[in-house]
Amino acid sequence: MVQYTQKGEVENMMSQTKKLSIAFYWHMHQPVYQLTNTGDYLMPWVRLHAVKDYLDMALWVKKFDKLKLNFNYVPVLLDSIIEYGEQDAHDIHSRLTVTPEQKLTKEDKIFILNNFFDANYQTMILPNSEYHRLYQIVQAQGSGDISILTNQEYADLMALFNLAWIDPTFKTSNSELKKLVKKGKDYTLEDRQKIIEIQRDIIRKIIPELKKLVEKNKIEITTSPYYHPILPILLDYKNIKKNAMSDDEIWHLKTELDAKLQTKMALDRIEEIFGKRPRGVWPSEHCVNKKTLEMLSSLGVEWSISDEGILANSINFEFEHDFKGYIKEPYHLLKTYRYKTKNSDIKMIFREATIPNLISFEYQNHNPITTANDLYDRIKIIQSKILSSPDKEHLLTIALDGENCWENYMEDGVSFLKSLYTLITEDETLETVLISDYLDKSKEIKQINKISAGSWINRNFKLWIDEPVKDLAWSYLKRVRQDFSEFVKREPLNPNVELARKELFICEGSDWFWWYGDPNDSGRDNIFDFLYRTHLKNIYRYLDLDTPKYLDDPLSNISAAKPSKYPKFLISPVIDGKNVTNEYDIWNNAGYIEIPDGPVLRESKLFDKIRFGNDENNFYLKFHLNKYIKENSELSKRTYQMYIYLRKAGNKQVLSPVRLINKTKDILPISMEKFHNEVQIAIKEDKLVLLRMIEAVPGDMWSLEDTRLIETAYDEVLDLKIPFEILDIKNGESLEFLFINANYGIKDFYIPNEMVLSVTRPSLVLKNS
């Protein structure tokens, strides 16, 4: 950042700078975690984010006179907050926390060992010596033997987990909490009960505090459809699934009315809670299309938001970013728009796409002061590019998830946010605004005649639809909805119809379809699957109907990228990089694993199929490159990376952890495995540009190894021949391995995602002399 020491220079610079308005817009959402209205929550995320984020994020405006912030609260989340604070709701974690340790069953203790380390290792576990000590015990010995911890250690683990999730500002401002943190270990039942009650006290303050800030015009609160459905899918499923057979009734969801009701319910609920009707709606996942804006306008919604990519498609102007992510021509992105509907006009704003990704995934890995300055500099660079703009008004919208990244920051992002907000509020050429206020005052709203359909991810809806398991989940919903509609026609006055309708609306939420199938994995997909099918079953329960048997079958068991077969025989193939062309090819005796050609994986996966096998001395791999990449000249210019992790079965080697970066805080169990060797492969422009092997060394570290003994050939396919000797696999021992698609070192998906594969090096056969 340039520093000016002369007052005249500063004033001259300011006189030449056009004011830039900034709308910080934080989205808060959690799905339904209960099986029934009165049951315990199966996951603790509403409670834990409530004591860490929902109040803390809003309170920043009280620390800066000039700071104004926008928040989007999904109604189902607010309902859960109210239940925790006012109705003493519990989740499995909190229920166990207030259970006397002597009464914990074996199953309880196994659950604790497997679930009470669900916290960021670097920022939440490592800084606490006792929590870290317990973590090391469980990591070293596993969770199968409950005797690895004493009853007191189980009590401490539960206390420390709950304390780790409380925002650090509350730990310093609350004297009782301060004492509990300082205690460190030897927590009593009364201590744990107190921790949960302090959490409830924090939760009870959220809505009253938000109300006050709304009344003081320091924050604006908007909403999304009640249970966070993808509106374009509910409103226009047939066209979104246009590749489906036209006579397939599954693609006629008939949920247009549901979309409108969910949105109206949300607007009504926010008005009921805060005394003020939202003027704007954040469509779930920034998913929009023409029918979405028509529907919002019919409900009196004044404005909505979507992503930079949707604007680009809508106005046929691509926003180019340089290699550092700086947008080259931001003018169109900094404008507000008016879209004409049948009812009335609706205004639209579009968020800048790079900054949210930096905040969510990148800045957490660096010094918070440095990253705050980096973001401020990015804002100033954008501001410098409007100097030649013919307009006076320019709005930079920074809109993103407001809860899921902060646990990855030191101090829950306190230093980062404090530095960022300080830099912005002390800059007289910048201002933070409430979106409705800005739109009311704006005199330069541009007309937009087309709204391109899509979401913030890849400008399409592929994360929620058009994938085998996702589509099966939609077909379940379709069948159940048909049964519900037929019942309503027969018994429209049945008192349980509205209870059943609520369950149907819950099942239309985006989260179920996000986690089903590829490529996302929560690490708890089985729980999401169980919740989804249970809520479908609840519809039949309320209507006193027999539950269809197919709802008993888990969808989460349908897993892609499992081995299609293991090797038939030992193989000793020629390493020539040639494809398998006939049934007599020796590679047909190899095992193979196929990576599905789903719409999401299509552009990111490096290979379509991986063949594997071995003989007495070597391990063989044949990688079939993704045809879609080879045939697309633009895609082929990217660098694609694959990692192979290998180890001797039985963990008889020095092992180190997988080094790749996860995109979210959700960690698959397979990613906790450790390995002895890592082989890195990179391909760009149809060439093998990197082949590197590293080996584990003590201390969870890795060292570079010689790859000259690995034989390679890359032509039509990529062949590898890796001697067992360099992997330290002796005769009669088994080699375990898995593959990870991880472009730029960021994990996309595991192959397979549930287990390691294995081959066995044959024992030596002694011949008679």
Side-chain angles (χ1 to χ4, degrees), residues 25-27 282 286 351 355-356 359-360 398-402 405-406:
Y25 197 2
W26 302 107
H27 175 63
W282 175 306
H286 287 164
R351 71 162 195 169
I355 291 173
I359 296 173
S360 296
I398 301 174
L400 66 152
D401 184 311
C405 68
W406 303 118

Side-chain angles (χ1 to χ4, degrees), residues 15-31:
S15 67
Q16 295 180 32
T17 302
K18 287 188 176 180
K19 193 155 204 170
L20 178 63
S21 301
I22 304 170
F24 281 104
Y25 197 2
W26 302 107
H27 175 63
M28 307 296 194
H29 162 62
Q30 292 290 334

Side-chain angles (χ1 to χ4, degrees), residues 643-648 653-660 671-680 692-705 726-727 736 738 740:
Y643 290 71
I644 313 168
Y645 280 90
L646 312 102
R647 71 184 180 203
K648 184 184 300 185
Q653 297 169 301
V654 175
L655 304 177
S656 293
V658 171
R659 306 182 305 149
L660 303 175
S671 68
M672 304 300 289
E673 299 284 340
K674 295 185 176 183
F675 297 89
H676 183 61
N677 290 101
E678 175 192 88
V679 176
Q680 304 169 8
R692 181 164 59 197
M693 186 168 83
I694 60 175
E695 182 174 296
V697 294
D700 286 346
M701 303 296 286
W702 295 91
S703 68
L704 196 62
E705 288 296 305
I726 67 172
L727 301 174
E736 294 180 338
L738 61 78
I740 306 178

